[in-house]
Amino acid sequence: MKAENNLSKTLPFRCILLSLPCNMNISQEDFRKEAYSVIAAIPSGKVITYGQIARLIGYPQHFRLVGHVLRGASDGLYLPCHRVVNSEGRLAPHWPEQRALLAKEGVSFLPNGHVDLKKCQWDFMNMTDF
């Protein structure tokens, strides 16, 4: 059973906030479309984690699948994939351009090279980030 809250009426993606069983069958195409719609909505200068995306689309335990579908994203989709980081603010390995893209948008970094999530994490519940 899925439940939607008021956020789903204001954002361009369906927002599911209940945990679902881990053994449920997932349509990878539906998962991909939902993940892409969240990623497309991330405002410039903000980041979101793989886990947050997974929770927003209703599959909180499938954060690695978010990374998998991002790796398969076509350049022609023009998704701001550089705005997705891990739960510690670490950037994607083997993608040195990600830091420059984020810095160009004003994202700040900690001395260890991680994104400063306290300053730059997208507060998707706060619509003033758009």
Side-chain angles (χ1 to χ4, degrees):
M1 177 178 274
K2 296 181 179 182
E4 294 186 18
N5 70 2
N6 290 334
L7 183 62
S8 65
K9 293 176 180 68
T10 57
L11 293 179
F13 51 86
R14 187 178 75 238
C15 181
I16 309 299
L17 297 177
L18 292 180
S19 293
L20 301 173
C22 1
N23 62 352
M24 75 180 300
N25 291 328
I26 298 172
S27 160
Q28 202 166 26
E29 185 59 29
D30 289 344
F31 186 93
R32 180 180 294 112
K33 287 177 184 176
E34 293 284 338
Y36 287 174
S37 72
V38 172
I39 295 161
I42 305 167
S44 179
K46 297 294 180 180
V47 298
I48 192 171
T49 68
Y50 299 100
Q52 286 178 302
I53 294 169
R55 282 191 302 280
L56 279 170
I57 63 175
Y59 302 101
Q61 296 158 333
H62 292 80
F63 53 91
R64 286 190 176 132
L65 186 55
V66 173
H68 177 74
V69 300
L70 278 176
R71 277 191 300 280
S74 163
D75 288 342
L77 294 173
Y78 302 104
L79 292 171
C81 297
H82 62 285
R83 297 179 187 151
V84 182
V85 298
N86 83 358
S87 61
E88 297 174 348
R90 261 192 329 224
L91 305 179
H94 313 295
W95 189 19
E97 299 86 5
Q98 184 180 16
R99 182 183 174 101
L101 290 167
L102 291 171
K104 187 175 176 180
E105 294 180 355
V107 171
S108 52
F109 294 87
L110 299 171
N112 64 4
H114 295 187
V115 170
D116 187 343
L117 292 176
K118 289 182 180 175
K119 291 182 181 175
C120 300
Q121 191 167 28
W122 182 29
D123 179 6
F124 47 85
M125 298 297 284
N126 178 2
M127 300 313 290
T128 61
D129 278 350
F130 279 101

